[in-house]
Amino acid sequence: MTIFDQLRQFDSPTIFNAVDKYINKSDKYSKDTHSLLYTDKTIQCLLPTLGTSIGKVITAEVTTNDPDSTSIPWDEYYSTLENSDGPTVSVIKDVDSNPGRGACFGDGMAYAHKILGVEGVIVDGTVRDLDGIKEANLPIWANGLVPGHGTFNLTSVNTSIVVGNLRVQENDILIADINGCARIPIEFNLDEILKLAQQIRQREQNLFQIYRQPNLTYSEARRKINQILD
């Protein structure tokens, strides 16, 4: 089982907690860094039944209606996906003059991304053809849905971008689920993040076991919880 398969067993809040603990244990990082490591409420899970996605980030910026926007060949994006050392999560930002008015992603793109081994797609913008994306079995997160788009141009590949108030760059790790997306910066030690996530899960399970005891009083709960936390 790869490190990504092991991390996939945790939800994004647990991964965020592990990353936050990793930062707090280190003298290398600002304690304010944690506030930058998850998406905001604008990034919504549109197909929650497809589960969790985790992988290395590949970014793209697009416009969906501006006919005069600077464009580069789409093959630059798809060849980057094809040559990536997966697993991969594609992160797409709509940089149109009217972002979200046109869709950044649809069912045809979903099938192409599946062929290229993409685990999931995060869109800071809108998408369309949700039933087709579901049929392609590609998990997707976005701001919402619209039925169409205008002139559709690719403007950059693998630049540092901000999606849902979260800055990401090439080869950062994203884990995305029904809660949103949590970021593991590229330089963080994944084995250590996994170890911290395991510790957090065990601690929570011990606490929840106490909470579920019948007829538990507040003072009894505090005493038992303090024993775990000591």
Side-chain angles (χ1 to χ4, degrees):
M1 184 180 291
T2 69
I3 185 68
F4 293 99
D5 292 329
Q6 294 177 78
L7 288 168
R8 193 196 305 277
Q9 298 177 41
F10 298 90
D11 58 23
S12 60
T14 302
I15 294 298
F16 166 76
N17 288 343
V19 168
D20 189 41
K21 187 178 274 303
Y22 182 91
I23 292 169
N24 287 323
K25 288 176 59 178
S26 173
D27 295 330
K28 293 173 58 178
Y29 304 105
S30 165
K31 299 306 182 281
D32 294 330
T33 303
H34 76 278
S35 64
L36 306 177
L37 295 179
Y38 58 93
T39 53
D40 65 16
K41 64 182 179 180
T42 63
I43 304 297
Q44 298 289 316
C45 180
L46 301 185
L47 294 171
T49 59
L50 297 188
T52 300
S53 291
I54 184 170
K56 301 175 185 176
V57 167
I58 287 179
T59 72
E61 292 180 304
V62 303
T63 58
T64 55
N65 285 290
D66 291 339
D68 57 347
S69 62
T70 302
S71 64
I72 60 178
W74 275 96
D75 186 57
E76 290 193 24
Y77 171 65
Y78 287 113
S79 62
T80 300
L81 292 176
E82 184 177 28
N83 294 321
S84 65
D85 179 20
T88 301
V89 170
S90 176
V91 183
I92 299 172
K93 184 177 180 67
D94 186 352
V95 294
D96 196 89
S97 60
N98 189 9
R101 182 64 183 90
C104 292
F105 201 89
D107 51 5
M109 293 177 72
Y111 281 104
H113 281 64
K114 286 294 290 187
I115 291 171
L116 292 167
V118 174
E119 295 275 325
V121 177
I122 318 299
V123 178
D124 197 341
T126 55
V127 305
R128 67 176 187 168
D129 304 314
L130 189 61
D131 286 343
I133 296 172
K134 183 177 182 179
E135 185 175 324
N137 198 36
L138 183 71
I140 191 159
W141 290 256
N143 302 154
L145 299 169
V146 294
H149 61 77
T151 304
F152 190 28
N153 287 329
L154 174 69
T155 64
S156 79
V157 177
N158 268 349
T159 58
S160 175
I161 63 175
V162 176
V163 290
N165 279 323
L166 171 68
R167 180 167 292 281
V168 295
Q169 61 182 329
E170 178 186 3
N171 287 329
D172 279 343
I173 307 301
L174 277 186
I175 183 165
D177 60 13
I178 195 170
N179 299 285
C181 312
R183 171 183 170 232
I184 306 174
I186 182 175
E187 68 271 20
F188 284 18
N189 185 304
L190 294 186
D191 290 322
E192 183 64 20
I193 297 296
L194 175 62
K195 180 180 177 181
L196 291 169
Q198 291 167 336
Q199 293 172 355
I200 290 166
R201 172 176 284 177
Q202 185 58 59
R203 180 186 179 198
E204 289 181 346
Q205 288 176 344
N206 292 339
L207 291 173
F208 295 155
Q209 189 174 7
I210 293 173
Y211 297 149
R212 296 186 184 108
Q213 292 177 8
N215 304 318
L216 186 69
T217 67
Y218 177 74
S219 60
E220 289 173 331
R222 281 292 300 271
R223 177 177 58 80
K224 292 180 179 182
I225 289 169
N226 287 336
Q227 290 174 349
I228 292 175
L229 299 181
D230 285 343

